[in-house]
Amino acid sequence: MPLPQKAGCWTEWFDGDDPSGMGDQETLHNLREENLGKICPDPQGIEVMTTSGISMVAAGEMIAFADSTTGFICKNEDQPDKECFDYRVRFSYRSATDPVISWTEWFDRDNPSATGDWENTINLKKDYPGVICEIPLYVEAVTIDTMTPAMATGQNILIFNPTDGFVCRNADQQNQQCFDYKIDPKI
Ligand SMILES: [Ca+2]
Ligand SMILES: [Ca+2]
């Protein structure tokens, strides 16, 4: 079975199941539900290793699925010893040089309750590892309730660019209160 080795950005490793019962099932469907927002809608590749760090090929087991549509399934019944290893998986995405990419996901990681609404790239990358993997080429920001573009709200926005993301500080506003914004970085 070929291992997709697509260059680009990888999610973190996921180990959502262990091989008790039917086997080790790291399906995209289950991993998405357990890791909200951490796996993009359309991954291009999957990499599989045992939790002890052996590649899937080196492990040499009969694997039912290992693709970026289904995810990974190893069935205990397919193995001579009736037991799969415990595997972990990660997914890859197109690189920034791929022209067909388009994010449609909005990110809202912060609320303006403390010092402001911090939707900046550094924190977004921390909260959504692998999802925002390249420097976006442009970014949109709107209020979460009425979808009003940031520039139309009349608020003083401290940072609003594709590299750094978006920051609205409460202290910069006449009423000391930013709206709650969400941003959509596109690469
Ligand atoms: Ca596992
Ligand atoms: Ca926000």
Side-chain angles (χ1 to χ4, degrees):
M1 187 168 302
L3 261 185
Q5 293 289 351
K6 190 128 184 159
C9 167
W10 291 91
T11 66
E12 64 190 275
W13 288 95
F14 300 107
D15 174 24
D17 192 24
D18 59 48
S20 62
M22 304 280 288
D24 197 25
Q25 305 206 11
E26 309 290 349
T27 62
L28 203 47
H29 178 80
N30 290 349
L31 290 172
R32 272 222 180 88
E33 288 197 340
E34 292 159 11
N35 301 276
L36 288 179
K38 291 189 175 176
I39 305 178
C40 270
D42 185 26
Q44 274 72 55
I46 183 173
E47 186 178 1
V48 181
M49 299 186 99
T50 68
T51 54
S52 58
I54 303 168
S55 77
M56 184 178 76
V57 171
E61 294 195 308
M62 173 88 85
I63 304 302
F65 291 95
D67 61 65
S68 58
T69 310
T70 304
F72 173 85
I73 296 177
C74 177
K75 297 179 182 170
N76 287 337
E77 65 181 20
D78 292 341
Q79 315 312 321
D81 62 359
K82 303 294 176 202
E83 170 128 36
C84 293
F85 293 120
D86 191 7
Y87 293 88
R88 57 185 171 166
V89 301
R90 63 177 183 166
F91 299 93
S92 71
Y93 303 98
R94 293 187 185 97
S95 72
T97 53
D98 191 325
V100 301
I101 191 92
S102 96
W103 295 122
T104 52
E105 195 170 348
W106 291 91
F107 296 96
D108 174 31
R109 61 163 294 278
D110 195 23
N111 299 315
S113 50
T115 59
D117 198 24
W118 293 75
E119 307 292 349
N120 50 332
T121 308
I122 293 171
N123 286 329
L124 284 167
K125 282 185 170 175
K126 238 181 263 172
D127 290 354
Y128 301 94
V131 177
I132 301 177
C133 53
E134 309 286 350
I135 304 251
L137 292 179
Y138 64 103
V139 62
E140 286 180 64
V142 300
T143 59
I144 63 163
D145 48 1
T146 58
M147 297 283 285
T148 306
M151 287 299 116
T153 61
Q155 296 209 304
N156 287 314
I157 310 300
L158 179 68
I159 295 174
F160 185 21
N161 66 66
T163 308
D164 302 315
F166 178 93
V167 175
C168 176
R169 290 192 308 191
N170 289 338
D172 296 335
Q173 315 312 319
Q174 274 186 343
N175 65 353
Q176 304 290 305
Q177 185 66 57
C178 289
F179 296 122
D180 192 3
Y181 294 89
K182 59 183 179 180
I183 76 165
D184 184 13
K186 296 178 189 298
I187 60 175

